[in-house]
Each structure stands twice: as C-alpha cells, then as structure tokens.
Amino acid sequence: MNNLGGDSNKINPLVPVDLVIDYLVQVDVARSENVVQANMELEFQRNKERFAFLKWGSNAFQNMLIVPPGSGIVQQVNLEYLGKVVFNTDGLLYPDSVVCTDSHTTMIDGLGVAG
C-alpha cells in the first residue's frame, strides 16, 4: 500500500483480530524427552515461508495477534486467553465474536462471546 502511494493504516484492522494456528504440528519424533520441542522445530523448518509470512503479518498490522502452533488447542486458547467478551474503545462498547472452522469453538458462547 505504501509503495503504491496509499495510506497503509487504511488496511489495518479496526477491531482486534486474533489468528490461532491450531492442529498444525506433525508428529515426526516420539518417545523422547524433548518430543514437543523436536516436532515444533521440524514444523517450523518445514513451513518456514508460511511462518515468516505470519510473523510479518503480526508485525505489519496493529490490532493483530497471531498465536503460533504449540500454544494450545483453539478452544483452550479462546476460552482462557483471547475471549474478551466486551471491548471498550473510547467509550464505545461492542461485543466480542469468534469465527472459526472448529465445531468445538462454540464453547466460547458460554462466556458470552458470539461464536
């Protein structure tokens, strides 16, 4: 946008956006003390272009959080970390919501977040 002479703030999300990368880690290593770390390292090597793009996105925009794989399953992350229920922006209150392709994510409804 900047290279085209435009204002890059126009494409910045107006409300907070959280992207959870879930169920992405393959199991290549098993029966080892460092199984999680070893599998995560292989996954990041295998998909380094994807993760570089996601890292760029998390730094390029305000109001955007990217939760990497290995942080927990999306239901747990939504319920315990991301679910805000109500946002307050300069006195303007608006509800939290979640859009996801995981059928279990609607558990967030129990907190009052529209799933």
Side-chain angles (χ1 to χ4, degrees):
M1 184 73 143
N2 289 338
N3 290 343
L4 295 173
D7 179 6
S8 60
N9 288 323
K10 289 184 177 181
I11 59 172
N12 191 61
L14 295 176
V15 298
V17 175
D18 305 310
L19 174 62
V20 181
I21 312 300
D22 187 18
Y23 299 115
L24 189 62
V25 180
Q26 278 182 217
V27 177
D28 293 297
V29 178
R31 299 183 196 159
S32 169
E33 288 182 24
N34 67 341
V35 66
V36 174
Q37 180 181 353
N39 285 311
M40 289 296 297
E41 287 174 6
L42 288 168
E43 195 64 39
F44 280 102
Q45 288 172 9
R46 185 179 294 122
N47 292 296
K48 62 183 163 187
E49 294 88 3
R50 177 186 305 169
F51 291 118
F53 178 72
L54 291 170
K55 185 171 180 106
W56 169 83
S58 69
N59 293 318
F61 300 104
Q62 298 171 2
N63 288 335
M64 185 169 185
L65 171 70
I66 297 180
V67 180
S71 299
I73 58 173
V74 73
Q75 302 93 307
Q76 172 194 3
V77 172
N78 277 338
L79 288 170
E80 297 177 4
Y81 181 68
L82 299 177
K84 305 287 190 264
V85 183
V86 175
F87 289 94
N88 183 348
T89 303
D90 299 326
L92 176 66
L93 302 176
Y94 57 95
D96 192 1
S97 62
V98 63
V99 177
C100 190
T101 57
D102 188 323
S103 62
H104 296 97
T105 303
T106 53
M107 293 186 311
I108 199 78
D109 286 339
L111 294 177
V113 175

